[in-house]
Amino acid sequence: MDKILEIKNLTTGFYIENNFYNVLNKINLEFEKGKIHALAGESGCGKSAFVNTILKLLPKNAKITSGEILFQEQNLLDIKEKDFNKIRGTKIFLIPQDPFMSLDPLYKIENQLMEINSIKDKNKEEAKKIITNALEEVKIQNIDNVLKSYPHELSGGMKQRVIIAMALISNAELILADEPTTALDVSVSNSILDLLVELKNKNKTILLITHDLSIVYNYCDTATIMYLGDIVEKATSKELFKNPKHPYTKALLAALPTKKGKKLENIKGQISPITQVISGCKFHPRCQYTQEICVKNVPLLEKCNSREVACWLVK
Ligand code: SF4
């Protein structure tokens, strides 16, 4: 496997009122180059904490207490902040849920694109050519108008296309897309997801954070399901849909709308706050198969044929 990112034993937590609570627990993951990898789960599962740990964009009360983040075999945790700025936004690029977060409201789109590190030292004509090519690749029409616009003058979908063009101009190799379509209409969402597939076809690697398993099925090569900071199931996305093993994965899939008009099933209860300590399997208060062992002992992520699952009932 040609790995671009390898996470080893990664633990991150937050100090809250003098106590420390983990939001990611000893995470081990590998991401193959040129694929779309999904990280899925409900809100509060630790998905965004994972992205922010990779990008070292954690709040002041957070601390990474163990592990390594190997990007192209270099441990990102060993890199000083001033050097990390040469990686963040260039080699590793974030597409946020709200594209407005990545655009400066005070500057026109052209000025912002011209400031991207990879082109800011080029002559104006050459830089403009690269920008125009990137905007064409993300299927923006009326490019001259878009370049003269301020971010607030563009629709949400158009802003997200501009952000993806930024990733192209930056020559990003790893793109972290954190719920990139949540704020968009369905038809616009699909066109943005199609663009991510086009990036993958250019051998870019995408880590797509989502709570929507239909996106995982339709657009992603692999799927990792996270629950309260633990990986509970890892598989190819097709395998996961064909034969989900972990009760949490099954519950997420049962909650998906289907064309057959089947009644949707809600997942019992709610995600617990990180300040609540849960013994054994963290999903046990919501799981319909809970047994005594689940309450007492933590199930480890173990190989189960071609996938990995953390559940006492799956062997
Ligand atoms: Fe449910 Fe037990 Fe499996 Fe946890 S370990 S998911 S509680 S069956």
Side-chain angles (χ1 to χ4, degrees):
M1 189 205 289
D2 187 6
K3 284 178 266 182
I4 189 166
L5 182 69
E6 199 174 352
I7 309 291
K8 289 185 176 176
N9 200 36
L10 184 67
T11 302
T12 301
F14 291 109
Y15 286 99
I16 300 172
E17 294 176 353
N18 295 325
N19 291 311
F20 190 74
Y21 302 97
N22 285 352
V23 282
L24 300 174
N25 299 303
K26 298 184 177 172
I27 301 292
N28 289 291
L29 283 173
E30 292 177 350
F31 297 99
E32 188 179 350
K33 201 172 172 33
K35 304 271 184 208
I36 302 185
H37 303 278
L39 181 61
E42 296 162 285
S43 298
C45 277
K47 308 183 302 289
S48 292
F50 182 71
V51 167
N52 291 332
T53 299
I54 294 173
L55 289 168
K56 296 211 246 181
L57 290 176
L58 292 164
K60 281 203 174 118
N61 66 332
K63 191 172 177 191
I64 299 166
T65 55
S66 75
E68 291 177 306
I69 303 171
L70 299 170
F71 171 67
Q72 296 176 330
E73 297 179 3
Q74 185 179 22
N75 187 4
L76 298 181
L77 300 181
D78 289 340
I79 300 176
K80 294 204 172 78
E81 184 56 26
K82 71 173 172 39
D83 298 321
F84 199 82
N85 281 332
K86 293 176 196 149
I87 295 177
R88 190 195 296 124
T90 54
K91 286 183 176 181
I92 305 179
F93 194 94
L94 174 68
I95 301 176
Q97 188 176 123
D98 180 358
F100 220 74
M101 275 172 59
S102 295
L103 295 169
D104 190 325
L106 301 177
Y107 292 95
K108 290 182 178 175
I109 298 298
E110 180 166 6
N111 298 8
Q112 301 194 43
L113 296 179
M114 283 288 191
E115 278 306 303
I116 293 175
N117 278 339
S118 59
I119 56 168
K120 71 179 177 191
D121 296 331
K122 295 195 185 296
N123 71 50
K124 203 173 170 195
E125 205 175 300
E126 209 180 333
K128 186 87 185 265
K129 199 170 163 198
I130 294 170
I131 288 172
T132 305
N133 284 345
L135 293 176
E136 278 172 1
E137 282 196 53
V138 299
K139 302 184 176 52
I140 286 185
Q141 289 164 354
N142 300 325
I143 287 175
D144 286 337
N145 284 348
V146 169
L147 288 173
K148 284 184 204 135
S149 303
Y150 288 94
H152 74 269
E153 294 175 301
L154 303 180
S155 66
M158 197 63 92
K159 283 196 277 280
Q160 210 56 301
R161 283 175 200 274
V162 169
I163 303 286
I164 295 172
M166 284 176 154
L168 283 171
I169 296 166
S170 303
N171 291 321
E173 289 166 60
L174 173 64
I175 295 164
L176 308 177
D178 191 0
E179 307 258 13
T181 57
T182 302
L184 307 176
D185 295 338
V186 178
S187 60
V188 182
S189 295
N190 290 345
S191 63
I192 295 296
L193 291 164
D194 288 340
L195 281 179
L196 296 185
V197 173
E198 287 183 26
L199 291 182
K200 165 186 127 165
N201 293 339
K202 293 183 202 306
N203 208 27
K204 307 287 183 192
T205 310
I206 294 142
L207 173 56
L208 181 62
I209 308 299
T210 183
H211 61 272
D212 184 342
L213 288 203
S214 63
I215 290 179
V216 178
Y217 180 70
N218 288 314
Y219 293 94
C220 300
D221 298 291
T222 72
T224 299
I225 307 294
M226 185 175 261
Y227 190 77
L228 281 177
D230 291 326
I231 304 297
V232 297
E233 185 159 5
K234 279 199 295 190
T236 66
S237 57
K238 298 292 175 277
E239 262 178 336
L240 193 95
F241 273 77
K242 202 169 143 202
N243 186 16
K245 295 276 188 198
H246 195 281
Y248 181 53
T249 314
K250 288 182 185 176
L252 287 172
L253 286 173
L256 270 184
T258 64
K259 285 185 184 148
K260 292 174 194 154
K262 188 175 123 279
K263 193 168 172 282
L264 302 186
E265 290 175 32
N266 288 327
I267 307 178
K268 184 178 93 178
Q270 286 177 338
I271 283 247
S272 314
I274 60 164
T275 50
Q276 189 178 330
V277 178
I278 302 169
S279 65
C281 169
K282 287 189 196 143
F283 189 56
H284 87 251
R286 305 175 74 190
C287 181
Q288 57 176 309
Y289 309 104
T290 304
Q291 299 183 5
E292 204 180 334
I293 189 173
C294 310
V295 181
K296 288 187 179 158
N297 298 318
V298 179
L300 299 176
L301 192 65
E302 284 178 0
K303 268 233 173 278
C304 175
N305 299 323
S306 56
R307 71 180 76 195
E308 289 175 59
V309 187
C311 173
W312 287 116
L313 299 194
V314 181
K315 293 288 162 219

